[in-house]
């Protein structure tokens, strides 16, 4: 999981506006709560980097490959001439220009030079050349109105920010999101937590689309909302593109970008169907012998009866939890979108990923369990954000087919963490820490008359199943370095099971 420090900070400052830490302190904060930091990368600020407007393009046709000579307004008396081979920008576009004297990542020095028969007085930059992402496919084109020519581009681009990459273990799938990571940081820095999943719901006065969930699919939830009348020519704003790029996700279009953004933010993978291409009821089922699907990567796949799929009257349209199908893909002319949020069987997704040799960001999250209660907030967040970016209307309709799961409570002696750790924690420590990670905690009395905590884990923590798990959370957040153990090292939290209590 890659994420910009500024994104994490923005979430945590919602409840604690004055909170701010250095990259080193953030790294230490993650380590303190038991998360493994793989890399800390600071996006280098670049001198002589400005916003420019392309005022004229001349095609140089006498060379073996397409080359352009561009006149670029960089806020000076006269536009600068810059030679560029990229084709994804046009006259009038706002771009980022590195002027002579700039040093791009990799110690690439920009200087005035003669090339292709022209004097090139700078460089129009791509995402990769700026060190923000790995996309070399074209020039970074900024949204209109984001800045005027000549503006220093460093702050606009977020250069100077830090990108953290973490290794998320299988038991902590909730940390595959900004929501999960900021919750952990709030525990580590002892901050109040403002949950980004607390969004304003859109109206829901009827069914958005006919959906049937077959029991053998193993899916426990499938919800959908429809957004109509979006502008197919709209472009995602730079702030959103930047957060995707620093996370390693390539921006494509508002509908696709919004689903990826909300997945990173809340941990709920989403899929956007071109609603005009769907034919009849959507059925979530297992694949049938002989069925095929051409996925979004252009590969035709032979489906296995173990595959979980989404199908309509035309056949299979999506490999559930892994990758969508090409026939219902959102494209350049899409104006009506059906947004889908589901909860799939982790084992089915895991096996499907291996069977088809596919690895997707959605699949990584579904394999590790996705919070079933975040589906509707994610749909509402995505639908509202899509309208904000591309216009249109969120239809006041919602389809939500789900199999309810009753929460399970766990009884634990109040002083069990103290006994296991060999530490006399202050009164209320266990209840406070368990509440901090999202548990509902009540105080009761056991059959032996000793005080107990009755703990109901949150929906995003299916790994909390027994008192040992709760003890481990308390010890982790209080600091394992405090734990006493006669043999040296950290105490092992085992053999402290107590029966669960059904709510």
């Amino acid at each position: 999981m890659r994420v910009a420090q500024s994104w994490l900070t923005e979430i945590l400052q919602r409840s604690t506006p004055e909170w701010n830490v250095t990259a080193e302190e953030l790294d230490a904060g993650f380590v303190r709560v038991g998360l493994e930091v793989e890399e800390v990368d600071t996006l280098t600020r670049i001198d002589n980097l400005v916003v420019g407007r392309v005022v004229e393009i001349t095609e140089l046709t006498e060379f073996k490959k397409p080359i352009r000579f561009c006149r670029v307004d960089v806020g000076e008396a006269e536009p600068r001439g810059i030679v560029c081979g990229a084709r994804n920008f046009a006259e009038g576009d706002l771009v980022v220009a590195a002027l002579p004297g700039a040093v791009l990542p990799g110690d690439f020095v920009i200087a005035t030079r003669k090339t292709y028969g022209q004097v090139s007085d700078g460089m129009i930059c791509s995402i990769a050349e700026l060190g923000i992402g790995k996309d070399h496919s074209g020039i970074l084109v900024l949204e209109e109105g984001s800045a005027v020519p000549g503006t220093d581009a460093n702050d606009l681009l977020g250069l100077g920010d830090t990108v953290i990459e973490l290794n998320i273990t299988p038991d902590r799938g909730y940390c595959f999101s900004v929501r999960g990571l900021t919750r952990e940081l709030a525990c580590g820095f002892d901050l109040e937590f403002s949950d980004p999943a607390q969004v304003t719901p859109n109206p829901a006065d009827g069914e958005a689309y006919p959906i049937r969930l077959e029991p053998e699919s193993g899916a426990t939830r499938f919800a959908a909302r429809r957004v109509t009348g979006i502008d197919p020519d709209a472009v995602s704003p730079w702030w959103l593109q930047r957060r995707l790029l620093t996370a390693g996700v390539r921006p494509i279009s508002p509908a696709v970008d919004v689903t990826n953004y909300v997945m990173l933010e809340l941990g709920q993978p989403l899929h956007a169907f071109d609603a005009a291409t769907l034919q009849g009821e959507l059925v979530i089922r297992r694949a049938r012998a002989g069925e095929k699907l051409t996925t979004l990567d252009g590969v035709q796949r032979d489906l296995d009866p173990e595959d979980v799929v989404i199908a309509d009257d035309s056949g299979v349209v999506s490999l559930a939890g892994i990758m969508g199908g090409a026939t219902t893909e959102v494209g350049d002319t899409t104006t009506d979108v059906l947004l889908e949020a589901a909860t799939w069987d982790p084992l089915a997704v895991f096996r499907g990923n291996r069977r088809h040799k596919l690895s997707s960001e959605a699949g990584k999250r579904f394999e590790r369990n996705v919070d079933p209660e975040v589906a509707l907030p994610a749909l509402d967040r995505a639908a509202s954000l899509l309208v904000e970016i591309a216009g249109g209307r969120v239809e006041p309709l919602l389809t939500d087919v789900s199999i309810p799961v009753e929460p399970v409570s766990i009884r634990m002696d109040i002083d069990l963490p103290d006994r296991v750790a060999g530490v006399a924690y202050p009164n209320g420590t266990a209840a406070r820490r368990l509440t901090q990670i999202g548990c509902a905690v009540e105080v009761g009395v056991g059959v032996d008359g000793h005080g107990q905590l009755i703990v109901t884990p949150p929906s995003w923590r299916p790994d909390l199943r027994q008192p040992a798990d709760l003890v481990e959370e308390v010890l982790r957040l209080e600091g394992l370095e405090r734990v006493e153990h006669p043999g040296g090292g950290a105490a092992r939290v085992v053999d402290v099971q107590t029966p669960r209590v059904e709510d």
Side-chain angles (χ1 to χ4, degrees):
M1 174 74 182
R2 286 175 56 86
V3 62
Q5 179 174 351
S6 58
W7 195 355
L8 301 171
T9 300
E10 186 268 317
I11 297 294
L12 288 169
Q13 285 183 341
R14 293 178 185 179
S15 57
T16 313
E18 69 280 4
W19 184 82
N20 206 358
V21 294
T22 64
E24 292 75 17
E25 290 169 331
L26 184 67
D27 183 355
F30 277 128
V31 173
R32 189 159 56 246
V33 294
L35 290 171
E36 180 184 348
V37 177
E38 291 195 332
E39 185 178 4
V40 179
D41 182 27
T42 298
L43 304 179
T44 306
R45 293 181 69 87
I46 301 169
D47 291 335
N48 297 331
L49 190 72
V50 300
V51 174
R53 186 181 297 279
V54 180
V55 295
E56 183 182 356
I57 297 176
T58 301
E59 301 288 346
L60 306 180
T61 58
E62 63 269 32
F63 301 100
K64 291 182 180 180
K65 63 178 182 179
I67 295 294
R68 297 164 137 188
F69 181 65
C70 307
R71 305 290 293 177
V72 183
D73 175 10
V74 293
E76 299 171 336
E78 295 292 332
R80 291 191 182 229
I82 300 177
V83 174
C84 184
R87 316 292 299 176
N88 69 312
F89 64 98
E91 291 179 355
D93 282 348
L94 285 177
V95 296
V96 176
L99 304 182
V103 181
L104 300 182
D107 291 328
F108 183 66
V109 179
I110 303 300
T112 300
R113 63 194 180 98
K114 188 169 184 178
T115 181
Y116 293 99
Q118 303 289 335
V119 175
S120 185
D121 201 19
M123 178 176 175
I124 306 174
C125 301
S126 71
I127 289 295
E129 289 157 346
L130 295 168
I132 299 172
K134 299 180 180 180
D135 188 1
H136 289 270
S137 63
I139 293 304
L140 168 60
V141 178
L142 300 171
E143 60 185 310
E144 185 58 40
S146 58
V148 298
T151 303
D152 187 303
N154 281 276
D155 289 340
L156 177 66
L157 298 177
L159 299 183
D161 198 356
T162 297
V163 179
I164 308 284
E165 184 164 359
L166 300 109
N167 178 29
I168 308 301
T169 55
D171 62 325
R172 308 203 39 198
Y174 64 97
C175 286
F176 251 120
S177 68
V178 172
R179 181 195 188 202
L181 292 176
T182 51
R183 185 184 295 276
E184 287 294 305
L185 287 173
C187 293
F189 287 97
D190 214 9
L191 306 173
E192 183 182 347
F193 180 63
S194 179
D195 191 348
Q198 293 179 346
V199 302
T200 302
N202 288 300
D205 299 324
E207 294 292 313
Y209 203 86
I211 291 169
R212 177 158 48 93
L213 188 66
E214 295 193 352
E216 63 268 23
S217 70
T220 55
R221 189 166 210 164
F222 193 99
R225 273 197 180 278
R226 193 161 177 168
V227 179
T228 59
I230 67 171
D231 178 3
D233 296 322
V235 177
S236 297
W238 169 245
W239 68 263
L240 190 149
Q241 291 192 44
R242 178 181 173 275
R243 286 182 170 178
L244 293 179
L245 288 164
T246 52
V249 179
R250 182 171 66 90
I252 297 173
S253 68
V256 177
D257 296 347
V258 161
T259 61
N260 285 328
Y261 180 82
V262 173
M263 174 186 68
L264 293 171
E265 182 181 55
L266 301 183
Q268 171 68 62
L270 302 166
H271 185 67
F273 295 96
D274 183 335
T277 65
L278 296 174
Q279 302 176 34
E281 178 185 45
L282 288 181
V283 182
I284 294 81
R285 58 172 173 81
R286 296 281 177 169
R288 295 167 185 154
E291 286 188 313
K292 300 178 184 293
L293 173 68
T294 299
T295 44
L296 292 174
D297 56 1
V299 177
Q300 185 182 75
R301 302 184 184 277
D302 295 321
L303 300 179
D304 187 277
E306 289 299 310
D307 287 328
V308 180
V309 299
I310 304 171
D312 67 2
D313 291 350
S314 69
V316 177
V317 297
S318 181
L319 192 53
I322 301 174
M323 188 172 287
T327 60
T328 57
E329 178 182 8
V330 170
D332 295 339
T333 61
T334 300
T335 58
D336 293 356
V337 173
L338 185 71
L339 294 172
E340 162 250 305
T343 307
W344 307 109
D345 174 20
L347 185 57
V349 174
F350 174 84
R351 289 174 174 170
N353 280 335
R354 278 34 178 200
R355 186 181 302 115
H356 294 284
K357 297 180 173 60
L358 275 172
S359 178
S360 67
E361 290 297 319
K364 290 177 186 177
R365 287 160 175 80
F366 284 125
E367 285 181 0
R368 292 164 171 79
N369 285 293
V370 168
D371 178 8
E373 298 303 316
V374 82
L376 298 189
L379 270 184
D380 286 320
R381 172 74 166 132
S384 297
L385 190 54
L386 180 56
V387 169
E388 178 184 323
I389 294 169
R393 175 176 184 262
V394 180
E395 296 297 328
L397 305 167
L398 171 69
T399 299
D400 181 19
V401 181
S402 62
I403 300 172
V405 178
E406 290 297 323
V408 175
S409 294
I410 307 166
R411 283 186 178 271
M412 179 185 78
D413 289 347
I414 288 179
D415 64 347
L416 184 57
D418 305 61
R419 300 201 311 266
V420 172
V423 176
Y425 294 119
N427 289 340
T429 294
R432 184 175 73 86
R433 287 301 192 180
L434 294 173
T435 300
Q436 211 170 28
I437 65 171
C439 295
V441 181
E442 298 179 14
V443 178
V445 178
V447 293
D448 57 0
H450 286 98
Q452 288 192 327
L453 297 181
I454 304 169
V455 181
T456 304
S459 54
W460 58 86
R461 294 297 304 269
D463 58 307
L464 302 181
R465 301 177 179 178
Q466 58 183 341
D469 301 326
L470 303 180
V471 169
E472 184 176 0
E473 291 298 293
V474 175
L475 271 55
R476 172 176 73 91
L477 296 179
E478 284 296 305
L480 293 176
E481 70 280 357
R482 299 178 60 188
V483 175
E484 297 180 6
H485 194 274
R492 295 180 62 215
V493 186
V494 295
D495 299 328
V496 290
Q497 297 190 27
T498 304
R500 300 189 200 178
V501 178
E502 297 289 343
D503 279 354

